[in-house]
Amino acid sequence: MNKFQPFEHEVMASRHEKNVDYNLSESGVHPITLRELLADNPEEINRLFDTEIDYAHANGIPELRANIAALYPNCQSENVMVTVGAIEANYDAIQALLQPGDEMAIMLPNYLQIWGVAKNLRLKINTFHLDESNGWQVNQAELKQAVTPKTKVIAVCNPNNPTGHILTEEEMKTIINAAQEVGAWILADEVYAGAERVTDRETPSFYGRYDKVIAVGSLSKAYGLPGLRVGWAVAPPNIIENIWRRHEYITLSTSIISNKLAAFALSPKVRPRLIQRAREYIRQGFPLLQQWIEQQKDVFHLVPPQAAAIAFVGYHLNINSTELATKLIQEKSVLIVPGDHFGVDKFIRISYGLPPDYLTEGLTRIQQLVTTLKSL
């Protein structure tokens, strides 16, 4: 049997996120309630009550695909595949584009799902980093080295998980040029678009800038709807067909209720309200985190994230990040994400898109453990 690479980040989350007192590992903003989502919409409530609990369209109901297509330039419904979360879209896309032995380049730090899938598919992986000393911008020398004539896919995350960095226009052009030179696809995880902290301008997509792009989105991060498990891939129709064929083996379809709620959430009337809600959580929570870090400058340092409800916080303690995260679970009942899970040690990812009292108490417990570690 081939050696299997577990998804360590999700292993820790699966075991602990529902059992700790304070979950500061969340990657999106605090989830919205069904009541708040459907507020003042009795017609939508009645429509949901009248829904037959049947299979949905395997590729997503037409209304939902149309609403997703409207988010991208020159995009039609046939360019959209609805999946069970962005995690399935990423998985299906890699399966559709690559075979064992193929080569891909992956941005680090990053949500390591794509890296793990590549490992299990026996792909050759080259990596290039975002440089903390340069505001988490792309290390262009590493990118040039990572992309070779054999590279078939360049995987990026924009806005980035875990750093919250938004690629500049120049960085996007550099990545596109690197892909064009070798004819590679760009697999762009764009699930944090809409969750901007320092601007109201929504992060632009790679889609529409180059003819070999698969853009991946989700309702989990900027919309506060992770429990719907709705994601999508946007790509040329022939690639969508290939992704669809893999989708039929794994999940077949998302639920009809999730499809309808997702279509409602992405409607022109409702979507702006959800984006505004996310940005309010992000912009209210970050000052609390920033103040907490300022009080412990001897231990923590941070390049402020431009987007997302997460911060990638560096630390100066003589302890591995996974060990630190494990101690927090065991001794303080707090869950954060170790930098190891993004390919970079001596960092932790902390969510701040949470209710203020909840966030403050979780940070206080982290500080208590840090104080103990400093005294050892």
Side-chain angles (χ1 to χ4, degrees), residues 230-272:
V230 170
W232 58 84
V234 174
N238 64 317
I239 298 300
I240 291 297
E241 283 290 324
N242 288 337
I243 290 173
W244 193 345
R245 300 292 81 82
R246 276 77 183 169
H247 172 76
E248 288 160 339
Y249 267 110
I250 300 171
T251 60
L252 189 59
S253 71
T254 52
S255 78
I256 185 62
I257 298 298
S258 288
N259 266 260
K260 289 196 172 185
L261 285 170
F264 175 73
L266 291 177
S267 65
K269 180 181 177 181
V270 178
R271 181 177 183 269

Side-chain angles (χ1 to χ4, degrees), residues 59-100:
N59 60 338
I61 62 174
E63 181 185 2
L64 175 55
R65 285 185 288 117
N67 286 348
I68 293 169
L71 304 178
Y72 298 86
N74 302 314
C75 183
Q76 306 297 324
S77 293
E78 58 264 30
N79 298 109
V80 177
M81 178 74 212
V82 175
T83 57
V84 179
I87 199 165
E88 190 208 340
N90 284 330
Y91 185 90
D92 291 348
I94 294 172
Q95 295 285 341
L97 294 176
L98 297 164
Q99 297 180 356

